[in-house]
Amino acid sequence: SNYTITKFRYRKRKPPSLQMAESIATSRTAWLSAFWCIYYGTGIIGMLVIYGLLQERIMAIPYGQAQQLFRDSVFLVFLNRVVAVVFAVSMAAAKGESLRNKAPLWK
């Protein structure tokens, strides 16, 4: 028959061609989501590698007249966090977003 019972409701079955089209669309959406996940993950890891290489270069190359090495890596990390906060606040302001949390903090 063309009808199926699901939870006490009668529903007309979809034609096989429509079922296949929906299956392909769902599959394509899953592959697209996987692609973007890999793309963004690679970008994050790539930026962390660049940041680490630059920090190592700053720490390893002597500078100034006395050819001293930069020894305070905590200061570099602090500056990185300051730049990240300034960037985040400026992007939130540019997009008109609130700086308040919308999700509850206790969950």
Side-chain angles (χ1 to χ4, degrees), residues 64-82:
Q65 294 292 336
Q67 294 295 303
Q68 296 176 345
L69 291 175
F70 193 89
R71 298 194 183 273
D72 198 4
S73 65
V74 174
F75 182 68
L76 289 178
V77 174
F78 172 72
L79 286 181
N80 176 274
R81 295 294 92 205
V82 168

Side-chain angles (χ1 to χ4, degrees), residues 6-106:
T6 56
K7 292 206 176 203
F8 304 108
R9 285 196 228 160
Y10 289 97
R11 217 169 43 174
K12 190 170 183 178
R13 286 189 187 163
K14 297 177 184 175
S17 59
L18 184 59
Q19 289 176 353
M20 184 185 298
E22 288 177 348
S23 174
I24 290 171
T26 303
S27 176
R28 187 173 293 150
T29 303
W31 281 106
L32 189 61
S33 293
F35 166 76
W36 284 114
C37 182
I38 292 168
Y39 176 78
Y40 288 127
T42 303
I44 290 170
I45 298 300
M47 288 297 112
L48 288 172
V49 167
I50 291 171
Y51 171 71
L53 291 173
L54 289 174
Q55 183 175 345
E56 283 300 316
R57 182 174 180 182
I58 290 170
M59 299 293 289
I61 295 176
Y63 66 94
Q65 294 292 336
Q67 294 295 303
Q68 296 176 345
L69 291 175
F70 193 89
R71 298 194 183 273
D72 198 4
S73 65
V74 174
F75 182 68
L76 289 178
V77 174
F78 172 72
L79 286 181
N80 176 274
R81 295 294 92 205
V82 168
V83 169
V85 167
V86 169
F87 178 76
V89 169
S90 65
M91 288 303 294
K95 292 187 176 268
E97 296 177 358
S98 172
L99 296 178
R100 295 192 62 157
N101 287 338
K102 293 183 180 174
L105 294 175
W106 60 89

